[in-house]
């Protein structure tokens, strides 16, 4: 334990949200600068404003990192320790760091946004529109002979100011840090046009460039807001019930065990269990379920439940979900900062910083591409020495090539699609932890499923009661229930639960002297009789009174149908059999059918149950393979074997028992993650609802995202490939290059935003 603590003291991980990235290239430059800082082990920066950091606490602390980010012109919105922004807390901040962040955020909301100003966050867009208006009026007036030339010139100069304000600001900031970005090139080209007397062309250049930037920011903000909307689901306050009275308090004041009152048609303020009242709750904001779920009180209202993952869905409620038409009283089982909603928000934000394989590839490509372009431009600047043209012509051509070759669209093409895909998935009740699982999910050729609780209900049901000899069915069932009532085994509980339902009001006798035989069955006393209940192995070594061949074949027959069969003996006489089965989920067959239609070639069930049970379940629901009698470590071997046979394999389970197999698969998918902290943390993809039918939606979304990423890459690379020769040979001037350059950037961003509208 001491070793674990020392490692935690030595290293730290932080998630920081900032404002101020001008474009994807700016985000990447900040990432490179962070990675060069002494003590920073790894950083990942998303253009959406999320920064993930791992660092050595002995070499660098959080204050130094925040100071560095501010120097980069970024506005700190929140850090991992400052979660009240997400939870909408109303309490006063106490820690100095939190106060700083709160002030930073307040400033950002007014005028300190890098693209803000007198008109707030829309200033750049408004400046761009003013630039366009001045340019249009000036150009129109230049054709009116009665109006002096200086009027149009004045309007063009005004257009230069409004169109070039942010371009000049960014260019100066970049050059001051030793950088050389497209903003600087645009400014140089516009100034060059003015020197040559081409004021209208220069103003058009700045108008198009500033409008393109403003629209790009607008589009990316739309995707960001889709994720930010998750944080707004939680209400700020709750109605706390104490000593028979209710009072309104901030959700941060709630403690585990508190009782809150939720009025009809209002949001639930905390994760908890229902202790009074019945209602239907709309869980769509968290789990994506379209149909409200009926909620009823727990059996034991005195129990705490905070450490219990096995809470029935009919008893559990989540913060941010919406109550139906009746009042509920809820016992809080998680503090606001630990609620499922707050963890979901944090994990979605972390997902933005995880780069996809395509993004890593484009980053690598750009590392070689940009220097190559600069060498080409250097050569073009000297073209006047080789061909008969003035230096101004060579300079103009070189600037045009630089504009044409700037990989803005390439830089934003993948991050914008990943951001939109993760946002849409979260809205549909699926947590996708970054670009890699988002891309991999769409390329799956095989899916392995755990059986219990994934393909089946996870709750064994009594399916058959078979009397042998002269005993009646009800009498046999009474004996079985009496004996099994002494056991805590899940199968025993199922026999008692379903047996009592069948027997209705019949009185059950009391058994005693329970003795369990591990993996085989139980022995107990009932009245003056000795009762044995178990599988055939129990009777193998018991005594000489072995079951007959006829009885054995009946047991085998029931087992071949997928039943877990228990043979019952009273003293020396075999009196009957009871069979139980973990029944398949209602939606399993239909879901697997959809997956088959989507092109998933192999669907394999991995289970610890015997092969006969596995085969019976597989046949019922339409699996291609069923591998039974597997221990947890053998499931890992099965996944490794599958990966050798198929290129991409997913493992679907509950995220607890199946964690090792999920870790070894291409993509680990956990079901019912909203009710399990372990599942939320261990899986690459978490289906928040305990519903298998969400899986086709997740795969379909992933394939759409992959297709959009490919389209964006073709567009961005194709346009660069066409524009470079066009500008070299003078077929396109800077104006055309800017139009196409900005157009392609906007095209890939708006193409990515189509994912937000993806239908299930």
């Amino acid at each position: 334990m001491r070793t674990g603590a020392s490692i935690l003291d030595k290293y730290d991980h932080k998630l920081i949200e900032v404002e101020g990235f001008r474009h994807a290239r700016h985000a990447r430059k900040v990432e490179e600068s962070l990675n060069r800082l002494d003590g920073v082990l790894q950083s990942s920066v998303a253009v959406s404003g999320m920064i993930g950091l791992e660092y050595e606490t002995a070499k660098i602390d959080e204050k130094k990192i925040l100071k560095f980010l501010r120097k980069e012109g970024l506005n700190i919105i929140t850090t991992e320790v400052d979660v009240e922004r997400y939870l909408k807390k109303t309490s006063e901040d106490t820690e100095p760091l939190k106060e700083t962040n709160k002030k930073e955020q307040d400033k950002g909301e007014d005028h300190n946004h890098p693209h803000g100003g007198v008109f707030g966050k829309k200033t750049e867009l408004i400046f761009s529109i003013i630039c366009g208006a001045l340019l249009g009026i000036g150009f129109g007036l230049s054709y009116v002979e009665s109006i002096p030339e200086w009027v149009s010139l004045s309007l063009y100069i005004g257009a230069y100011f409004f169109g070039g304000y942010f371009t000049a600001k960014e260019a100066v900031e970049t050059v001051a840090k030793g950088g050389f970005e497209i903003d600087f090139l645009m400014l140089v080209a516009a100034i060059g046009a003015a020197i040559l007397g081409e004021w209208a062309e220069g103003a058009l250049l700045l108008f198009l460039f500033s409008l393109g930037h403003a629209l790009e920011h607008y589009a990316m903000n739309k995707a960001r807001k889709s994720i930010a909307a998750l944080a707004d689901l939680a209400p700020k306050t709750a109605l706390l019930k104490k000593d028979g009275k209710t009072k309104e308090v901030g959700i941060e004041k709630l403690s585990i065990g508190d009782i809150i009152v939720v009025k009809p048609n209002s949001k639930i303020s905390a994760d908890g269990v229902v202790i009074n009242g019945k209602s239907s709750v709309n869980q769509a904001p968290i789990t994506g379920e379209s149909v409200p779920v009926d909620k009823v009180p727990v059996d034991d209202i005195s129990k705490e439940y905070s450490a219990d993952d096995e809470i029935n869905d009919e008893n559990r409620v989540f913060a941010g979900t919406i109550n139906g038409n009746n009042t509920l009283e809820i016992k809080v089982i998680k503090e606001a900062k630990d609620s499922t909603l707050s963890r979901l928000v944090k994990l979605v934000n972390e997902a933005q910083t995880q780069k996809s394989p395509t993004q890593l590839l484009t980053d690598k490509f750009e590392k070689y591409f940009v220097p190559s372009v600069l060498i080409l431009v250097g050569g073009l600047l000297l073209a006047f020495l080789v061909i008969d043209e003035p230096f101004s012509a060579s300079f103009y051509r070189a600037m045009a090539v630089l504009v044409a070759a700037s990989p803005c669209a390439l830089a934003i093409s993948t991050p914008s699609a990943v951001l939109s895909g993760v946002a849409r998935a979260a809205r549909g009740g699926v947590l996708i932890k970054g670009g890699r699982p988002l891309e991999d999910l769409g390329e799956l050729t095989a899916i392995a499923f755990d059986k219990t609780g994934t393909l089946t209900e996870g709750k064994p049901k009594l399916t058959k009661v078979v009397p042998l000899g002269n005993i009646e069915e009800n009498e046999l069932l009474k004996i079985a229930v009496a004996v099994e009532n002494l056991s805590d085994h899940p199968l025993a509980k199922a026999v008692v639960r379903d047996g009592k339902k069948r027997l209705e009001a019949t009185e059950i006798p009391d058994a005693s002297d329970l003795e369990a035989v591990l993996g085989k069955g139980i022995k107990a006393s009932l009245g003056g009789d000795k009762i044995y209940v178990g599988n055939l192995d129990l009777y193998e070594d018991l005594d000489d009174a072995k079951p007959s061949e006829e009885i054995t074949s009946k047991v085998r027959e029931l087992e071949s149908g997928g039943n877990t069969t228990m043979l019952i003996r009273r003293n020396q006489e075999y009196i009957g059999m009871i069979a139980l089965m973990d029944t398949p989920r209602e939606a399993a067959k239909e879901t697997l059918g959809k997956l088959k239609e989507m092109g998933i070639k192999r669907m394999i069930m991995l289970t610890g149950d015997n092969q006969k049970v596995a085969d019976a379940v597989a046949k019922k629901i339409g699996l291609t393979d069923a591998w039974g009698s597997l221990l947890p470590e053998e499931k890992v071997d099965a996944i490794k074997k599958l990966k050798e046979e198929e290129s991409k394999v997913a493992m679907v389970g509950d995220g607890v028992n199946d964690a090792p197999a999920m870790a070894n698969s291409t993509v680990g998918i956990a079901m019912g993650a909203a009710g399990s902290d372990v599942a939320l943390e261990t899986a690459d993809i978490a289906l928040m609802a305990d519903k298998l039918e969400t899986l086709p939606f997740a795969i379909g979304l992933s394939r759409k995202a992959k297709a959009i990423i490919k389209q964006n890459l073709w567009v961005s690379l194709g346009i660069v490939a066409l524009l470079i020769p066009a500008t070299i040979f003078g077929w396109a001037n800077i104006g055309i290059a800017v139009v196409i350059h900005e157009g392609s950037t906007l095209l890939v961003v708006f193409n990515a935003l189509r994912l937000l509208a993806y239908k299930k």
Side-chain angles (χ1 to χ4, degrees):
M1 286 294 288
R2 206 178 297 122
T3 307
S6 65
I7 289 170
L8 287 172
D9 291 339
K10 191 175 179 183
Y11 302 103
D12 203 356
H13 170 82
K14 276 286 175 286
L15 187 68
I16 302 169
E17 186 181 7
V18 300
E19 271 184 330
F21 287 127
R22 299 186 291 275
H23 35 63
R25 299 183 317 286
H26 182 199
R28 190 156 60 251
K29 286 202 167 182
V30 170
E31 183 180 301
E32 289 167 359
S33 301
L34 278 169
N35 285 332
R36 283 196 293 268
L37 288 178
D38 187 33
V40 173
L41 302 172
Q42 187 180 4
S43 74
S44 185
V45 179
V47 68
S48 58
M50 284 295 162
I51 299 174
L53 279 166
E54 288 178 23
Y55 58 94
E56 288 184 67
T57 52
K59 292 183 178 179
I60 193 166
D61 60 16
E62 190 175 341
K63 283 184 181 175
K64 284 181 185 174
I65 292 166
L66 296 181
K67 188 179 177 183
F68 169 81
L69 292 173
R70 289 189 191 102
K71 274 187 179 177
E72 289 290 319
L74 300 171
N75 183 29
I76 313 298
I77 296 178
T78 182
T79 70
E80 205 168 19
V81 294
D82 184 20
V83 294
E84 53 265 72
R85 175 175 176 271
Y86 294 127
L87 301 176
K88 299 288 180 187
K89 289 187 179 178
T90 53
S91 63
E92 289 298 315
D93 297 311
T94 52
E95 296 179 31
L97 176 62
K98 292 182 181 180
E99 285 176 7
T100 305
N101 289 342
K102 197 169 188 299
K103 286 174 189 168
E104 289 277 357
Q105 190 190 333
D106 291 342
K107 282 195 294 180
E109 283 172 359
D110 295 327
H111 304 301
N112 204 38
H113 187 275
H115 289 265
V118 291
F119 299 113
K121 293 186 180 182
K122 293 180 180 175
T123 301
E124 187 178 26
L125 181 60
I126 292 167
F127 271 27
S128 178
I129 292 166
I130 293 171
C131 168
L134 292 173
L135 169 62
I137 295 166
F139 190 69
L141 293 179
S142 67
Y143 287 95
V144 181
E145 290 181 8
S146 58
I147 294 175
E149 281 185 20
W150 65 265
V151 175
S152 289
L153 181 62
S154 301
L155 291 167
Y156 290 150
I157 291 169
Y160 259 65
F161 172 78
F162 287 104
Y165 178 81
F166 286 102
T167 304
K169 189 180 173 187
E170 293 186 8
V172 170
E173 285 176 8
T174 310
V175 170
K177 290 171 187 162
F180 191 64
E181 280 287 359
I182 191 168
D183 309 280
F184 178 74
L185 301 175
M186 292 297 170
L187 203 60
V188 169
I191 292 166
I195 290 167
L196 295 171
E198 298 292 339
W199 287 92
E201 185 182 339
L204 176 66
L205 219 156
L206 292 172
F207 166 63
L208 291 170
F209 188 66
S210 62
L211 182 65
H213 257 212
L215 289 173
E216 184 185 331
H217 281 289
Y218 166 79
M220 285 301 286
N221 277 333
K222 190 169 182 181
R224 275 194 290 265
K225 280 175 183 172
S226 187
I227 285 177
L230 281 174
D232 297 331
L233 289 172
K236 295 178 185 179
T237 59
L239 283 173
L240 177 65
K241 185 176 181 181
K242 223 170 193 176
D243 304 323
K245 296 177 182 177
T246 60
K247 68 170 183 175
E248 194 170 14
V249 298
I251 60 168
E252 77 283 356
K253 297 281 200 310
L254 295 177
S255 302
I256 291 170
D258 281 348
I259 308 300
I260 59 171
V261 177
V262 182
K263 291 182 177 178
N265 304 310
S266 61
K267 284 183 180 177
I268 293 170
S269 310
D271 282 15
V273 291
V274 178
I275 60 165
N276 192 13
K278 294 180 181 180
S279 187
S280 59
V281 172
N282 177 3
Q283 297 192 155
I286 301 295
T287 65
E289 294 169 275
S290 55
V291 179
V293 180
D294 291 335
K295 302 292 177 181
V296 296
V298 289
D299 295 329
D300 182 3
I301 63 171
S302 61
K303 190 177 170 184
E304 194 179 76
Y305 291 100
S306 60
D308 193 353
D309 266 354
E310 298 296 318
I311 301 169
N312 292 331
D313 196 36
E314 62 192 14
N315 305 133
R316 182 195 287 273
V317 293
F318 302 105
T321 55
I322 302 154
N323 186 22
N325 295 325
N326 298 313
T327 300
L328 291 175
E329 287 186 16
I330 291 163
K331 178 180 275 193
V332 177
I333 61 171
K334 284 182 184 177
E335 291 180 6
K337 63 183 174 66
D338 297 323
S339 73
T340 301
L341 176 61
S342 109
R343 291 165 71 89
L344 177 61
V345 170
K346 184 192 164 194
L347 290 167
V348 168
N349 284 327
E350 280 184 346
Q352 295 175 53
T353 68
Q354 308 302 315
K355 293 186 177 180
S356 72
T358 306
Q359 193 175 346
L360 292 170
L361 189 66
T362 54
D363 287 356
K364 195 173 181 181
F365 171 76
E366 281 188 57
K367 277 185 181 177
Y368 296 102
F369 177 70
V370 173
S372 304
V373 169
L374 291 174
I375 291 167
L376 172 63
V377 168
L380 291 171
L381 279 170
L382 302 173
F384 73 97
L385 298 173
V386 181
I387 57 177
D388 184 22
E389 67 177 14
F391 172 72
S392 59
S394 295
F395 178 79
Y396 187 89
R397 185 192 296 109
M399 292 302 102
V401 170
L402 259 179
V403 171
S406 181
C408 297
L410 182 65
I412 198 71
S413 60
T414 308
S416 57
V418 169
L419 180 64
S420 299
V422 168
R424 175 64 188 98
R427 215 169 67 227
V430 179
L431 171 62
I432 299 180
K433 295 185 181 176
R436 185 193 63 78
L438 179 67
E439 286 193 19
D440 286 343
L441 187 63
E443 296 177 347
L444 295 176
T445 55
I447 303 177
F449 298 88
D450 174 50
K451 180 181 86 76
T452 308
T454 302
L455 292 171
T456 62
E457 295 288 351
K459 295 173 185 174
K461 291 180 182 174
L462 185 63
T463 50
K464 287 190 180 176
V465 179
V466 183
L468 298 171
N470 298 322
I471 195 167
E472 288 185 2
E473 187 177 306
N474 276 11
E475 183 62 26
L476 174 65
L477 199 50
K478 267 199 320 191
I479 292 168
V481 170
V483 173
E484 295 287 14
N485 211 14
L486 299 173
S487 174
D488 285 330
H489 193 279
L491 290 177
K493 286 181 178 178
V495 171
V496 173
R497 181 193 67 228
D498 295 348
K500 282 182 175 178
K501 279 182 191 172
R502 288 197 188 193
L503 292 167
E504 295 176 338
T506 308
E507 193 175 332
I508 309 295
D510 291 326
S512 60
D513 303 327
L514 176 76
E515 185 185 334
V517 182
L518 188 64
K520 295 180 181 179
I522 55 174
K523 307 171 189 175
S525 299
L526 183 63
D529 297 318
K530 196 75 176 170
I531 307 295
Y532 305 87
V533 182
N535 56 28
L536 289 172
D537 292 340
L538 175 68
Y539 305 103
E540 195 66 41
D541 307 316
L542 193 61
D543 51 32
D544 293 332
K546 305 275 192 275
S548 66
E549 280 187 29
E550 186 185 350
I551 291 171
T552 303
S553 65
K554 279 185 179 178
V555 172
R556 301 282 189 215
E557 189 183 331
L558 282 171
E559 285 180 346
S560 65
N563 294 283
T564 299
T565 307
M566 294 183 230
L567 184 58
I568 303 169
R569 190 176 109 176
R570 181 168 56 190
N571 300 322
Q572 301 294 305
E573 180 192 3
Y574 290 93
I575 58 173
M577 292 175 279
I578 53 174
L580 298 105
M581 190 175 185
D582 184 7
T583 53
R585 287 174 180 265
E586 284 182 24
K589 189 169 185 177
E590 186 185 345
T591 302
L592 294 176
K594 283 182 183 175
L595 292 173
K596 192 175 181 182
E597 286 172 19
M598 294 175 83
I600 304 296
K601 291 190 291 182
R602 294 182 70 185
M603 290 172 282
I604 308 100
M605 179 170 69
L606 308 179
T607 179
D609 286 348
N610 68 60
Q611 191 62 47
K612 284 182 179 177
V613 172
D615 288 337
V617 174
K619 191 177 179 183
K620 275 187 181 178
I621 60 177
L623 289 160
T624 55
D625 302 84
W627 298 348
S629 306
L630 296 177
L631 297 169
E633 58 268 28
E634 289 175 325
K635 286 186 181 181
V636 173
D637 293 335
I639 290 291
K640 287 177 179 175
K641 182 185 172 188
L642 270 171
K643 280 176 81 176
E644 288 172 13
E645 296 170 3
E646 304 288 338
S647 56
K648 305 263 183 181
V649 178
M651 173 69 194
V652 185
D654 61 10
V656 185
N657 304 324
D658 307 306
M662 285 164 64
N664 280 276
S665 62
T666 312
V667 183
I669 303 170
M671 282 177 56
S676 166
D677 293 342
V678 179
L680 266 179
E681 296 294 342
T682 56
D684 298 310
I685 292 170
L687 309 180
M688 301 303 286
D690 190 28
K691 291 186 179 293
L692 196 62
E693 52 267 45
T694 323
L695 191 54
F697 159 70
I699 292 174
L701 177 65
S702 169
R703 288 182 176 177
K704 186 72 175 174
K706 184 78 176 171
I708 282 176
I709 288 169
K710 279 183 181 175
Q711 289 164 11
N712 283 354
L713 287 177
W714 278 111
V715 167
S716 51
L717 289 171
I719 283 179
V720 167
L722 289 171
L723 266 185
I724 290 176
T727 47
I728 288 174
F729 295 111
W731 302 328
N733 59 24
I734 287 183
I736 293 170
V738 171
V739 171
I740 297 174
H741 173 274
E742 289 305 312
S744 65
T745 304
L746 290 176
L747 181 63
V748 298
V749 171
F750 281 106
N751 190 37
L753 288 184
R754 290 195 299 129
L755 281 170
L756 293 175
Y758 179 79
K759 293 282 190 292
K760 290 189 182 184

